[in-house]
Amino acid sequence: PPLQKNKKINFILKSNLGKKFVNLIMVNGKKNKAEHILLNILTLLDKNAADILINSIKNVKPVMEVRSIRVRGRNFQVPVPLMKNRRTSLAIKWIIESARKKKGKSISIKLKDEILLAYQYQGDSVKKKIAIHDTAIANRAFLHFRWF
C-alpha cells in the first residue's frame, strides 16, 4: 500500500498484528488486495484507528476453549486455557468470519462495522467468544481429564 501521512496507520500495517490481519483477510494469495482492504478499514475508522482495532481484538480474545477428549469410549468437552498467539488469531478469525457472513456492502465496510461492534463489546464475534466461555464453564467438571 502507498505511504500514508498517518504514522499510526503505517505502524499497524507493519506490525505483527497488521500482518496477521492481512494474512487472514487474504483470499487466493492476493495479499496486495488484502493490504488495501486493511488500509481502507483504518482510513474509514478515521481517528484512533489503531486503538479501536487493538481494543476490538482485545474484546474478542477468548481465554478458554473446549477440546474434545476421548476417555473410556466417551467424548468429553474439556476446557483448555489458550496461548497468547492462539487467542489473537482466533479473535481476528472470528471478526473476519462474522463480517463475511453479512450480506451487501464491500468487505472493508463490513469489517469496519464488525470492528466497531467488537470495540463496543457487541456483534457476532463477541457473542461467539461468550458462547465458548459458557461451554467451558459448563464443562469445568471434566477439567481433571486434561493431561496436557
Side-chain angles (χ1 to χ4, degrees):
L3 283 170
Q4 292 289 314
K5 292 177 183 174
N6 194 336
K7 290 182 180 179
K8 277 194 172 183
I9 290 177
N10 272 335
F11 177 74
I12 283 198
L13 287 171
K14 290 183 172 105
S15 70
N16 286 339
L17 185 73
K19 289 176 185 173
K20 186 78 172 165
F21 215 97
V22 165
N23 287 337
L24 289 171
I25 292 172
M26 182 171 49
V27 179
N28 297 332
K30 298 192 176 186
K31 194 166 198 167
N32 199 23
K33 192 171 185 180
E35 286 173 344
H36 278 286
I37 289 169
L38 183 59
L39 187 67
N40 286 344
I41 292 165
L42 294 172
T43 50
L44 285 171
L45 288 173
D46 213 29
K47 294 179 182 176
N48 303 344
D51 302 329
I52 291 172
L53 184 68
I54 290 166
N55 286 327
S56 63
I57 290 172
K58 201 178 288 183
N59 287 345
V60 179
K61 279 184 186 180
V63 180
M64 302 283 285
E65 81 177 335
V66 287
R67 291 200 181 152
S68 200
I69 293 179
R70 192 173 176 91
V71 178
R72 295 189 203 115
R74 291 168 59 195
N75 286 329
F76 295 100
Q77 298 278 57
V78 180
V80 179
L82 292 172
M83 301 293 283
K84 185 181 173 187
N85 291 343
R86 179 135 173 89
R87 286 181 194 180
T88 307
S89 61
L90 277 176
I92 295 171
K93 279 179 193 174
W94 292 344
I95 289 172
I96 293 169
E97 183 183 299
S98 57
R100 283 188 177 143
K101 279 183 188 173
K102 294 178 182 175
K103 299 291 181 205
K105 299 180 191 172
S106 68
I107 187 68
S108 51
I109 293 171
K110 290 190 285 189
L111 268 168
K112 178 205 63 136
D113 292 342
E114 188 59 38
I115 287 169
L116 284 173
L117 283 172
Y119 181 70
Q120 297 160 358
Y121 214 76
Q122 298 168 348
D124 294 340
S125 49
V126 176
K127 285 179 187 172
K128 187 165 189 169
K129 170 198 168 179
I130 292 168
I132 284 179
H133 279 191
D134 288 345
T135 55
I137 290 168
N139 291 317
R140 68 178 181 266
F142 306 124
L143 199 60
H144 63 282
F145 289 126
R146 206 189 79 168
W147 60 81
F148 46 85

